[in-house]
Amino acid sequence: MSKRPDLRYERRLWKLGIDAVAGVDEAGVGPMAGPVVAAAVVFAPETFISGVHDSKQLTHEQREELFIPIRARAIAIGVGIAEVNEIDRLNIYWATMSASRRALSALSLTPGHVLVDGRLIPSLELPQTKIVGGDRRSFCIAAASIIAKVTRDRMMVDLDGQYPGYGFAQHKGYCTNEHMQLLIKLGPSPIHRRSFQPVAATAQRPLFDS
């Protein structure tokens, strides 16, 4: 088992008198269908929930189970979404940054500092620190990764009902062999990211061989 996140980064800020520390992470950067979802989570100082980890290190069942105490014990949670049309218009990086800013704006309080996984959020008018591999090192970032992942997975299950036949409820839009075969067979749906190469190649495929 890999080392689990702890409170070392949060405690450095709490000791400086910054009580409201927000962790930010996102889910859905890599898929070729569906939105990207970011979450921001703030806990009271010294709050800790055993089992919280980078969402990618947890099973679906573990994420769903941990989602409940995170929601119950956080003092603020914000979720931001960038839909497919925005991803295609801006590119996935800028759409993800927009979703992250929306997640912070959706908080019911203004954090004194933001801990973000991997890279700084441009144009953010809040103090922030990037932590490479933050979802495996910082408790509040790991909690945000779970909120973002569970929220997005549930959205993809709902989208599977709107666009049946693609298996969105199973693969959640990721580029699995099954998803690629269904994309080739059915063509892109309205929630496929046409700026992503596999979708673009399929969208440009002629309907009939000459």
Side-chain angles (χ1 to χ4, degrees), residues 23 39 41 43 49 52-53 70 135 138-148:
V41 182
F43 293 98
I49 301 168
V52 166
H53 202 351
I70 292 171
D135 48 9
S138 160
F139 170 72
C140 65
I141 295 177
S145 79
I146 293 171
I147 295 294

Side-chain angles (χ1 to χ4, degrees), residues 10-21:
E10 292 88 337
R11 281 177 174 148
R12 291 174 189 171
L13 295 164
W14 293 333
K15 286 178 180 178
L16 295 173
I18 303 170
D19 288 344
V21 178

Side-chain angles (χ1 to χ4, degrees), residues 24 38 80 86 90 94-106 121-125:
V24 176
E86 187 173 10
L90 297 178
W94 287 109
T96 301
M97 295 300 102
S98 294
S100 298
R101 286 193 294 270
R102 287 170 191 149
L104 287 162
S105 296
I121 303 169
S123 305
L124 183 68
E125 295 181 355

Side-chain angles (χ1 to χ4, degrees), residues 14-15 18 26 33 41 73-74 78 91 116 132 146 159 170 173 183:
W14 293 333
K15 286 178 180 178
I18 303 170
E26 80 289 319
V41 182
R73 297 185 63 185
N91 74 37
V116 60
V132 177
I146 293 171
L159 288 166
Q170 286 72 47
L183 178 63

